[in-house]
């Protein structure tokens, strides 16, 4: 079953970034799974942004089970970090995106600004 516009995803490499907890993690998981199951796009990276919540580890494990450890990475809580710690985590995230030749980035974000963007 192909969705309308699925052919436009041919050759695209997606990264999904989210807090990987309850609602955000479940929605991001579903979006990534649907992308690979119903389009010609590839999930290149799941970027789990740490959030202190009991559901975090369970959700990260679910991503690893579906997409493999090599496509799941974790970074620190960008909205809580300041100064060089935050810059280091943002730089690390951007390096991961670049290393995997990501063409499209989906960020599940709300609340404080994270300053993550692709160049």
């Amino acid at each position: 079953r192909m969705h309308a516009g699925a052919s436009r995803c041919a050759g695209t490499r997606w990264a999904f970034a989210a807090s990987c907890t309850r609602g955000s993690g479940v929605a991001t998981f579903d979006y990534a799974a649907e992308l690979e199951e119903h389009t010609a796009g590839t999930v290149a990276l799941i970027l789990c942004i740490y959030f202190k919540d009991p559901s975090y580890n369970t959700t990260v494990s679910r991503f690893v089970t579906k997409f493999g450890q090599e496509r799941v990475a974790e970074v620190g809580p960008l909205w809580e970090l300041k100064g060089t710690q935050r810059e280091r985590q943002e730089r690390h995230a951007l390096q991961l995106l670049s290393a995997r030749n990501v063409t499209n980035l989906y960020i599940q974000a709300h609340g404080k600004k994270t300053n993550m963007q692709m160049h």
Side-chain angles (χ1 to χ4, degrees):
R1 167 182 90 141
M2 294 286 278
H3 291 284
S7 63
R8 289 192 311 243
C9 288
T12 58
R13 296 180 52 79
W14 288 75
F16 291 82
S19 64
C20 296
T21 57
R22 295 177 283 167
S24 296
V26 169
T28 302
F29 181 91
D30 289 345
Y31 298 153
E34 288 289 315
L35 175 82
E36 285 204 336
E37 291 171 19
H38 300 293
T39 76
T42 299
V43 174
L45 178 66
I46 303 291
L47 190 59
C48 291
I49 303 166
Y50 179 77
F51 189 78
K52 188 176 180 178
D53 185 278
S55 66
Y56 179 80
N57 289 333
T58 302
T59 307
V60 172
S61 293
R62 188 172 178 221
F63 279 115
V64 170
T65 299
K66 172 74 175 167
F67 298 102
Q69 184 66 58
E70 67 281 355
R71 293 198 281 171
V72 179
E74 298 178 67
V75 295
L78 298 177
W79 42 83
E80 292 178 7
L81 299 175
K82 301 204 181 334
T84 57
Q85 283 186 320
R86 181 180 174 135
E87 290 170 8
R88 188 171 34 252
Q89 288 296 311
E90 287 178 345
R91 196 169 36 254
H92 176 63
L94 291 171
Q95 288 169 344
L96 290 168
L97 295 169
S98 178
R100 287 168 175 81
N101 299 313
V102 169
T103 60
N104 298 74
L105 173 62
Y106 173 86
I107 300 176
Q108 174 90 2
H110 44 269
K112 294 181 181 177
K113 186 177 176 184
T114 64
N115 291 325
M116 275 187 55
Q117 44 184 300
M118 290 184 68
H119 299 280

